[in-house]
Amino acid sequence: MTDERRLKIAIQKSGRLSDTSLKLLERAGLQFSRSKDKLFWFGRNLPVDLLLVRDDDIPRLLLEGVCELGIVGENVAAEALLGAAARRPGAALDALASLDFGHCRLMLALPEGQQYTGPEQLEGARIATSYPQLTARWLQENGISADIVELSGAVEIAPSLGTADAIVDLVSTGTTLRANHLKAVDTVLESQAALYRGPSKLDAEQQNLLDKLVQRIQGVQTARETKYVMLHAPRERLARITEVLPGAETPTVLPLEGQPDRVAVHALCTEQVFWEHLEELKQAGASAILVLPVEKMLA
Ligand code: PRT
Ligand code: ZN
């Protein structure tokens, strides 16, 4: 493929999403010639290159067709898209897959001592946030008119400085809020990292490559959630065992040498396997229970 037809994927250069995004692409079989501080890593085994940028730039790079795919938090994409759609109606990105990392919530938080009775108490209040678009939409959905104070960082100190009555900010563990004597009281948006596709037009060969990549990334995702379970069980308890195995397809049942009443059961479990499941399996008569990770899957 000529240089300009090579696909480009944007990920965060350094931050909470960087390592997991890169690992995901590597598990999908992409290899890059790394350059430690450059923004651009050349794809070695496929005509797919990597752009390493600030997460906030990813939606714009996709919308402008600089790259075809990007991994970014749903919070960042949603905020940018609301802004872009206001300037240019119809601006949109396709969310191809939620990636189950970078989980957080965009939340309304109040000073600890204050009661929260509902959004209506925000009428006329000053709300500090780095997410003015999402905050404005949420207020509008709730029929509230309030003042949005846009800050690019350190939003959590605004109430103690007296520049805001409340904040809307990202929360994961809640430690930052607690340290600033704030409490989260309402959710504006739940978020995780997701794979996005920009609107740029592709030729057939590029489209094929993109489809293959997306399928592989989805395959990595499914494999991460999937476990291969092997166990021994009394033949007569097979129905019960299959019932307990979470999200199992029809299990493979194999004879056990010298033990006509017992069989080996192998099953692909597409839902999380917890200790509780293993305990239930044991109770149902299973033994030698093994849970193995699945590295790759292609349905
Ligand atoms: O430099 P660049 O612009 O690329 O990075 P950034 O500083 O804007 O982003 P970064 O790396 O902090 O976060 C990237 C993405 O990770 C966010 O857009 C979210 O999608 C996701 N994410 C998940 C989070 C958090 N969890 C999170 N906790 N982003 C930010 N935070 C902040 C939160 O606002 C709080 O101030 O981390 C602080 C600690 O949170 P607590 O609740 O654990 O105390
Ligand atoms: Zn950022």
Side-chain angles (χ1 to χ4, degrees), residues 171-185:
V171 181
S172 57
T173 61
T175 313
T176 307
L177 289 185
R178 272 193 299 280
N180 288 280
H181 305 289
L182 299 170
K183 60 173 182 188
V185 293

Side-chain angles (χ1 to χ4, degrees), residues 12-18 53-58 72-77 101-105 131 154-156 169-178 191-193:
Q12 192 186 23
K13 181 173 163 58
S14 77
R16 289 165 198 271
L17 307 181
S18 311
V53 294
R54 288 201 55 184
D55 65 346
D56 317 70
D57 293 334
I58 295 175
V72 69
E74 290 165 347
N75 54 313
V76 170
F101 67 93
H103 288 275
C104 56
R105 286 172 177 200
Y131 291 84
V155 170
E156 63 280 0
D169 201 8
L170 294 180
V171 181
S172 57
T173 61
T175 313
T176 307
L177 289 185
R178 272 193 299 280
S191 178
Q192 56 183 298

Side-chain angles (χ1 to χ4, degrees), residues 59-72:
R60 188 176 46 81
L61 292 171
L62 286 165
L63 286 170
E64 290 176 358
V66 176
C67 50
E68 289 74 30
L69 292 173
I71 296 176
V72 69

Side-chain angles (χ1 to χ4, degrees), residues 119-120 123 137-146:
E120 55 289 345
E123 188 65 40
R137 185 180 68 178
W138 183 77
L139 289 168
Q140 196 189 15
E141 281 167 2
N142 285 286
I144 307 298
S145 142

Side-chain angles (χ1 to χ4, degrees), residues 3-207:
D3 275 3
E4 67 275 14
R5 290 177 57 245
R6 293 171 65 88
L7 298 185
K8 288 179 199 66
I9 306 182
I11 65 169
Q12 192 186 23
K13 181 173 163 58
S14 77
R16 289 165 198 271
L17 307 181
S18 311
D19 290 350
T20 317
S21 302
L22 182 61
K23 224 172 279 161
L24 175 62
L25 298 179
E26 288 176 341
R27 288 192 66 190
L30 293 174
Q31 295 167 5
F32 303 100
S33 299
R34 292 170 182 237
S35 50
K36 250 287 161 246
D37 38 54
K38 268 205 283 171
L39 289 178
F40 181 86
W41 291 6
F42 185 80
R44 276 196 284 144
N45 60 335
L46 285 172
V48 181
D49 305 321
L50 199 60
L51 287 183
L52 297 115
V53 294
R54 288 201 55 184
D55 65 346
D56 317 70
D57 293 334
I58 295 175
R60 188 176 46 81
L61 292 171
L62 286 165
L63 286 170
E64 290 176 358
V66 176
C67 50
E68 289 74 30
L69 292 173
I71 296 176
V72 69
E74 290 165 347
N75 54 313
V76 170
E79 178 72 18
L81 283 172
L82 286 173
R87 290 187 300 274
R88 190 157 48 88
L93 297 176
D94 253 358
L96 301 179
S98 293
L99 300 174
D100 200 21
F101 67 93
H103 288 275
C104 56
R105 286 172 177 200
L106 187 63
M107 298 198 79
L108 172 74
L110 298 180
E112 250 162 25
Q114 276 184 32
Q115 284 271 33
Y116 182 64
T117 47
E120 55 289 345
Q121 90 187 57
L122 298 168
E123 188 65 40
R126 290 164 308 159
I127 306 174
T129 186
S130 314
Y131 291 84
Q133 301 285 348
L134 285 166
T135 303
R137 185 180 68 178
W138 183 77
L139 289 168
Q140 196 189 15
E141 281 167 2
N142 285 286
I144 307 298
S145 142
D147 250 354
I148 296 176
V149 182
E150 184 175 350
L151 298 177
S152 57
V155 170
E156 63 280 0
I157 63 172
S160 61
L161 292 179
T163 49
D165 308 304
I167 68 168
V168 167
D169 201 8
L170 294 180
V171 181
S172 57
T173 61
T175 313
T176 307
L177 289 185
R178 272 193 299 280
N180 288 280
H181 305 289
L182 299 170
K183 60 173 182 188
V185 293
D186 220 333
T187 301
V188 173
L189 183 85
E190 299 224 19
S191 178
Q192 56 183 298
L195 176 69
Y196 290 93
R197 157 91 168 95
S200 56
K201 296 259 178 298
L202 299 180
D203 64 34
E205 192 186 4
Q206 289 173 311
Q207 186 63 47

